[in-house]
Amino acid sequence: MLSMYLDTITPPDLTWQEQALCAQTGAEFFFPEPGSSVREAKRICGLCPIRSACLEFALAHDERFGVWGGLSEKERQALRRTAP
Ligand code: SF4
């Protein structure tokens, strides 16, 4: 969920984040209450032009919470375990 970063920092190498769809929708979809659905966040990520870059960013920065690049916390953990 990149809109948090857009509000606080915009380093030159992160200008791709300006295309983040989540910045237009609000954080509640991407950081739902425990046990709540992430379906809507994933739907928005599926339409986002920077989904791959977002997921790479989340994995590189070990983002533990929320939906990033269309993957939930558990899905990112599973991806890390299977990555070479
Ligand atoms: S892929 Fe999802 S979390 Fe990442 S910038 Fe796009 S809408 Fe936001």
Side-chain angles (χ1 to χ4, degrees):
M1 182 14 182
L2 296 173
S3 63
M4 293 181 354
Y5 286 91
L6 293 175
D7 290 344
T8 55
I9 57 170
T10 308
D13 63 336
L14 297 178
T15 54
W16 52 269
Q17 294 181 0
E18 294 172 2
Q19 298 178 58
L21 284 186
C22 53
Q24 302 169 28
T25 61
E28 64 274 11
F29 294 121
F30 297 87
F31 294 95
E33 294 293 320
S36 298
S37 173
V38 293
R39 184 181 309 158
E40 186 62 18
K42 288 183 167 196
R43 188 187 70 77
I44 295 167
C45 290
L47 301 171
C48 184
I50 59 167
R51 181 178 174 181
S52 296
C54 175
L55 181 57
E56 285 181 28
F57 179 90
L59 294 172
H61 292 84
D62 200 22
E63 293 290 348
R64 299 287 172 109
F65 303 103
V67 174
W68 290 74
L71 297 186
S72 68
E73 301 147 11
K74 288 181 180 177
E75 290 167 334
R76 291 195 307 279
Q77 285 176 354
L79 186 61
R80 275 192 209 96
R81 282 194 297 268
T82 59

